[in-house]
Amino acid sequence: MFGVFGWQKGQSEMDYDVSLQTISWFNGLRNDDRLEISPKFQRRAVWLEKERAALMDTVLKHLPFPEVYIQVVTDADTGRQTHVVVDGQQRITSILKFIDNEYPLPNDDDWSGEYFRDLSADVKESFWDYKVVVRTLRKTNDDEIRSIFSKLNTNNVALNDQELRNARYSGRFKQAAERLADNPYFQSIGLFTARDVRRMLDIEYVSELLVRQVFGITAKKDMLEPAYVNFDEDFPSESEYEDEFNATINLVRSIVDNSNKMVFKSKGNFHSLFGVCLEYFRKTGKNQFKKSEVVSEEITRLVLKAKADDFDPNEPDIEKYADVSTRSTSDKSRRAERERILAGIVSRVEGE
């Protein structure tokens, strides 16, 4: 017999079966702390409230939704089994959040924004009995599960490149990017939207900044996949890169604050400023500018003038910066030119 992913039973230890499980069963696993909904290979919770509410409408009308994949991990000594959601995180999370009264049903012809607590006993009983098609995977390991998750979602446009990397890799480079992306400074200046964070685009962008550290100026994402591959098991000088990253962000922080954060919410401008601050730190060993206010004023002035096409023949760099900031902004040569222009301002003001 062939399995769902094309391998033949007997060729691998992996085994699976298909069953129907109720919502009550999932909730019972959750209550017993035997349900793992967000393993490391999963993407972050993506669905918005309206999408969750639409799913609950489907459930309460007893219409089907796609099957869920569950890995069963058994403790050989105690027999305790943990059920890991391989595919179906959004659906299962939505169901449990509805049970917890975290969002209501839609306001439409069928519903009036009821929460779970507002439903009648009969409707609740029907809800608990709703059956989900579950493919249960056994006798497998993390590498196989990551491969399965990736295959399940490769053709699903809802998964972006970073979410697929999150499924494929679990090692040092990924972990470093995740730690550094948690820096509250990024949120304080609004560099990432809520959607960016849900879709792991903050981690992808911080990965690009790490690539700038390790490989120098590159074209957008050219070295991103190689970094995840080559530094999965071992990320040489990881702690040094992390310290250097944080020192660089301290320099950026002294330039970009609430007064000019709108200018540097542009990922291209921020990337270039990060590169300039990185090289300043490498050259001087300082994580603060001597004249940070002047550096901030001069860089902000140039970027704003470039954005407004407010050119000055006495300052040719304004027009040059505008030219390399309007199209193909992530090309290597354009990134290098932006850094050159901003670094010239820092050098002139700081006298370094």
Side-chain angles (χ1 to χ4, degrees), residues 67-119:
E67 59 197 8
V68 170
Y69 286 75
I70 300 285
Q71 177 195 15
V72 176
V73 180
T74 304
D75 186 304
D77 294 323
T78 66
R80 178 180 173 82
Q81 294 185 323
T82 301
H83 295 68
V84 182
V85 179
V86 176
D87 190 66
Q89 175 193 9
Q90 311 300 324
R91 283 159 276 160
I92 300 305
T93 299
S94 296
I95 288 169
L96 297 177
K97 284 181 176 293
F98 182 63
I99 292 169
D100 293 340
N101 296 295
E102 293 190 23
Y103 66 91
L105 290 166
N107 273 296
D108 56 22
D109 293 339
D110 299 307
W111 306 104
S112 301
E114 295 93 341
Y115 286 82
F116 180 74
R117 60 177 175 260
D118 302 322
L119 302 178

Side-chain angles (χ1 to χ4, degrees), residues 26 29-30 33-37 70 82-83 85 92 96:
F26 280 99
L29 289 177
R30 190 260 298 256
D33 197 26
R34 293 191 294 123
L35 183 66
E36 184 178 346
I37 300 179
I70 300 285
T82 301
H83 295 68
V85 179
I92 300 305
L96 297 177

Side-chain angles (χ1 to χ4, degrees), residues 87-152:
D87 190 66
Q89 175 193 9
Q90 311 300 324
R91 283 159 276 160
I92 300 305
T93 299
S94 296
I95 288 169
L96 297 177
K97 284 181 176 293
F98 182 63
I99 292 169
D100 293 340
N101 296 295
E102 293 190 23
Y103 66 91
L105 290 166
N107 273 296
D108 56 22
D109 293 339
D110 299 307
W111 306 104
S112 301
E114 295 93 341
Y115 286 82
F116 180 74
R117 60 177 175 260
D118 302 322
L119 302 178
S120 69
D122 287 345
V123 174
K124 287 180 180 177
E125 184 175 344
S126 177
F127 176 86
W128 290 120
D129 283 339
Y130 179 89
K131 292 179 176 61
V132 180
V133 178
V134 176
R135 289 190 181 268
T136 304
L137 310 173
R138 293 183 171 85
K139 298 181 181 179
T140 186
N141 55 53
D142 285 350
D143 288 341
E144 288 178 323
I145 291 297
R146 287 178 181 276
S147 176
I148 290 168
F149 179 78
S150 180
K151 288 175 182 177
L152 284 168

Side-chain angles (χ1 to χ4, degrees), residues 183-193 205 249 252-267 270 273:
N183 191 321
Y185 174 64
F186 295 129
Q187 296 306 317
S188 73
I189 63 169
L191 187 62
F192 306 121
T193 66
Y205 185 76
I249 291 299
V252 174
R253 188 196 301 268
S254 70
I255 296 174
V256 180
D257 56 23
N258 286 332
S259 66
N260 62 351
K261 64 183 181 181
M262 295 303 295
V263 178
F264 294 97
K265 284 176 68 174
S266 159
K267 302 294 197 302
F270 192 95
L273 187 59

Side-chain angles (χ1 to χ4, degrees), residues 25 38 41 44 82 117 123 154 191 241 244 252 289 291 332 335 344 347:
W25 180 80
S38 298
F41 55 82
R44 292 175 177 172
T82 301
R117 60 177 175 260
V123 174
T154 296
L191 187 62
Y241 280 125
E244 184 180 66
V252 174
F289 291 111
K291 302 176 181 178
K332 180 178 179 179
R335 281 181 165 175
S347 179

